[in-house]
Amino acid sequence: MNRIMVMGVSAGVGKSMFARKLAQSLNIQVYHLDTIYWKPNWIEASLEEFSARQQEIVLLDSWIMEGNYNSTYSIRIAKADTIIYLELPLIICLYRVFKRWLTNIGKTRPDMGEGCKEKLDYQFLKFICTTYYPRKKMMKSKLQAFKEIDSENRVITLKSKKDIQSYLHSLNI
């Protein structure tokens, strides 16, 4: 496990926190796609900029890239050897998004682009609710296709807080 994608069914599933803990356990640099995509004050990077930065990262011997971003999935998947997929229930994801917002009002999280202060609006909540089940279905086929690219590719699916904690604990032994 040297080139790892951390993906999840939704915002609030815990991708960023998991990736940080994984990076610490494995001593591998983590790259949060949100920090690459979002410029200060919620300005989006161009697809060219966003793609180019990921193309630089995937050339490294080891990396953890956290985030979904379907527009550049092919860049990461071509070089990854492992996908760790987090899939918690929608209600937990929504709860965590609200909690994150309350905890970080007026602040920029370390896994977010510089100058992008925490916000929560109707569009984001609608996005979470309308994409959760379609993404859950889509990820099953993406994960299967990844395993078929190379028999050495690993997919690790974690579907509960207990699964996540147990997996991280197993790395520290």
Side-chain angles (χ1 to χ4, degrees):
M1 233 180 15
N2 292 309
R3 295 173 311 283
I4 306 161
M5 295 170 58
V6 174
M7 301 181 71
V9 68
S10 175
V13 77
K15 296 180 299 293
S16 298
M17 181 73 74
F18 178 85
R20 279 194 297 275
K21 290 178 179 179
L22 183 67
Q24 188 175 26
S25 292
L26 300 177
N27 197 29
I28 296 175
Q29 176 69 41
V30 65
Y31 299 90
H32 300 281
L33 294 180
D34 281 340
T35 64
I36 299 168
Y37 185 76
W38 292 108
K39 295 180 178 188
N41 301 311
W42 297 100
I43 304 296
E44 298 174 58
S46 70
L47 182 57
E48 293 77 21
E49 289 175 281
F50 189 47
S51 298
R53 182 65 182 115
Q54 289 176 69
Q55 287 167 345
E56 292 171 9
I57 296 167
V58 297
L59 295 176
L60 300 173
D61 291 334
S62 63
W63 45 263
I64 298 169
M65 273 200 260
E66 171 271 315
N68 291 339
Y69 290 93
N70 287 326
S71 63
T72 56
Y73 176 79
S74 61
I75 295 170
R76 300 183 304 279
I77 204 73
K79 298 290 186 178
D81 58 39
T82 305
I83 293 177
I84 300 176
Y85 173 64
L86 308 180
E87 185 182 281
L88 299 179
L90 175 59
I91 193 70
I92 291 175
C93 295
L94 288 169
Y95 168 77
R96 287 179 171 187
V97 166
F98 275 107
K99 182 180 174 187
R100 179 174 73 194
W101 173 67
L102 288 171
T103 304
N104 293 292
I105 292 175
K107 301 176 199 167
T108 300
R109 291 180 283 126
D111 52 80
M112 186 52 69
E114 185 180 320
C116 294
K117 293 184 179 175
E118 192 66 27
K119 66 179 183 174
L120 184 61
D121 56 26
Y122 174 76
Q123 276 89 4
F124 187 49
L125 293 173
K126 182 180 176 185
F127 172 79
I128 293 168
C129 291
T130 59
T131 61
Y132 180 88
Y133 293 104
R135 181 174 289 143
K136 188 174 175 177
K137 185 177 178 180
M138 174 190 64
M139 283 306 297
K140 282 184 184 180
S141 57
K142 280 190 170 189
L143 297 175
Q144 184 59 40
F146 177 67
K147 286 192 266 186
E148 291 170 3
I149 293 171
D150 184 334
S151 61
E152 299 289 314
N153 286 350
R154 294 180 61 198
V155 173
I156 300 160
T157 301
L158 305 172
K159 292 191 172 193
S160 70
K161 186 176 177 181
K162 184 179 178 183
D163 287 350
I164 292 167
Q165 290 172 337
S166 294
Y167 181 76
L168 289 170
H169 179 72
S170 74
L171 296 175
N172 291 324
I173 293 175

